Amino acid sequence: MKQQIRAECKMKRKALLPEAVSKNSEAICTQILTLPAWKNAKTVLGYSPIQNEVDTKKLLMLAIETGKRCALPITDIEANDLQVVQLTDDSDMQTGAFGISEPKAQIPVPEEEIDVILVPGIAFDKKGGRIGFGKGYYDRLLSRTKAVKIGLCHAVQLVEDTFCEPHDVRMDYVITESELIVCE
């Protein structure tokens, strides 16, 4: 069932026009700014968007400008895990694993210092369930932190049920361009 949901939601996200991705991303980022967890966060972990994921670049640059420490995950294929490194600005990037942009200067950020994590995905449900690409990179990272987990997706990626398994880490919030969902 997860494979079918993954395939359908990937198609829906891929079909979004650049204008829709931009408009949705702006609306989602505006909602993030209203969250107390975001306002109080000292360190936030974002991501570099791929394949029409919600774009948070402007949000992360604003966060840096207002004194927050921002970080991005980088994929360590050999360790089968994500490492967290500091983002200083978006001009100092290189292409990393899976074609994802990552900072050239890889200054480690301790996972225990992360207050908020912005989490991409292929599908989310209103209970905080998430389907990613299926390699478990994010679930391993999310399971090690007490940070507030905010799943970001376009409304077309919101599904009735993601059929979470015991190792899947649920989100505290899921945000689309039209909804801010507090997960229980």
Side-chain angles (χ1 to χ4, degrees):
M1 192 57 144
K2 274 189 167 189
Q3 292 296 353
Q4 182 181 351
I5 294 168
R6 183 179 285 119
E8 288 173 7
C9 287
K10 277 176 79 172
M11 264 189 355
K12 288 177 182 178
R13 190 175 73 188
K14 185 178 181 181
L16 290 170
L17 297 174
E19 300 80 26
V21 172
S22 179
K23 182 179 175 186
N24 293 352
S25 296
E26 188 173 324
I28 290 165
C29 290
T30 297
Q31 290 184 76
I32 292 168
L33 292 171
T34 69
L35 293 173
W38 178 267
K39 291 177 182 178
N40 297 326
K42 291 182 176 67
T43 301
V44 298
L45 176 62
Y47 60 87
S48 293
I50 58 170
Q51 303 174 8
N52 282 351
E53 287 176 335
V54 173
D55 191 343
T56 60
K57 286 180 216 164
K58 289 179 185 175
L59 177 66
L60 295 176
M61 292 304 107
L62 175 64
I64 290 170
E65 289 171 17
T66 58
K68 293 186 188 306
R69 178 169 58 167
C70 289
L72 292 176
I74 59 169
T75 306
D76 183 340
I77 294 175
E78 287 181 21
N80 200 29
D81 206 1
L82 294 176
Q83 306 301 317
V84 179
V85 298
Q86 189 166 339
L87 173 67
T88 53
D89 65 49
D90 65 350
S91 64
D92 192 23
M93 304 292 278
Q94 65 186 8
T95 302
F98 305 112
I100 301 171
S101 291
E102 60 187 38
K104 283 183 186 176
Q106 299 192 349
I107 304 161
V109 173
E111 292 174 1
E112 64 273 9
E113 294 179 14
I114 302 168
D115 300 305
V116 169
I117 301 178
L118 304 177
V119 185
I122 294 174
F124 290 88
D125 63 36
K126 291 185 176 189
K127 297 172 288 198
R130 172 186 170 273
I131 296 177
F133 283 96
K135 303 245 186 236
Y137 285 103
Y138 265 93
D139 284 317
R140 282 187 287 284
L141 172 65
L142 296 172
S143 69
R144 297 190 300 259
T145 180
K146 294 181 189 220
V148 174
K149 298 153 188 71
I150 305 173
L152 308 180
C153 67
H154 305 282
V156 297
Q157 296 172 259
L158 199 58
V159 298
E160 187 67 32
D161 195 342
T162 57
F163 301 95
C164 280
E165 298 172 46
H167 65 274
D168 293 328
V169 177
R170 291 190 181 270
M171 303 295 103
D172 298 300
Y173 298 90
V174 174
I175 302 177
T176 73
E177 65 275 15
S178 56
E179 278 185 274
L180 190 158
I181 302 158
V182 179
C183 306
E184 297 177 16

